[in-house]
Amino acid sequence: MLNEDCQRLFNEFVPMARRYLQSPGIMAALELDKVCMHLYPAIARERQDQDLSNMIRDFGRGLPRKESSELAVLLDAILRQAQASGLTVPE
């Protein structure tokens, strides 16, 4: 796990997060949280972007407690910060 590729994990995270926002559920939250648990330390380690790492961690911790509208705002911020950090945002 220490050599996780940030872009690969991010490519997995983004569509899952978008699907979750459209159709929240406990199982989807658990799967998305698992991805977040691998992604945020990889971002901190590989990209040296603690702000992005913290946002992804907060997103995962907000599942399923926060409203989809709150998580959508956080996801938008994550996508902007990820681009600034050099990650490609998948369509």
Side-chain angles (χ1 to χ4, degrees):
M1 285 301 166
L2 291 178
N3 295 321
E4 292 287 359
D5 176 48
C6 287
Q7 186 64 59
R8 183 185 62 75
L9 287 168
F10 192 69
N11 289 348
E12 189 176 341
F13 165 77
V14 172
M16 287 178 78
R18 288 176 175 156
R19 281 192 305 272
Y20 178 83
L21 294 177
Q22 291 177 348
S23 181
I26 297 297
M27 293 308 292
L30 291 173
E31 291 174 17
L32 185 52
D33 183 54
K34 183 188 270 186
V35 173
C36 290
M37 297 266 305
H38 293 291
L39 179 58
Y40 82 80
I43 293 286
R45 186 176 52 255
E46 291 179 30
R47 296 291 172 157
Q48 305 293 311
D49 191 333
Q50 197 61 46
D51 290 335
L52 178 57
S53 176
N54 290 341
M55 284 190 275
I56 293 167
R57 185 191 65 220
D58 292 345
F59 188 93
R61 287 182 177 170
L63 300 168
R65 294 178 291 280
K66 288 188 179 181
E67 294 291 324
S68 291
S69 59
E70 292 176 87
L71 291 171
V73 170
L74 184 53
L75 181 59
D76 287 341
I78 288 169
L79 297 179
R80 284 192 304 275
Q81 184 69 27
Q83 284 182 315
S85 187
L87 291 169
T88 302
V89 176
E91 292 299 318

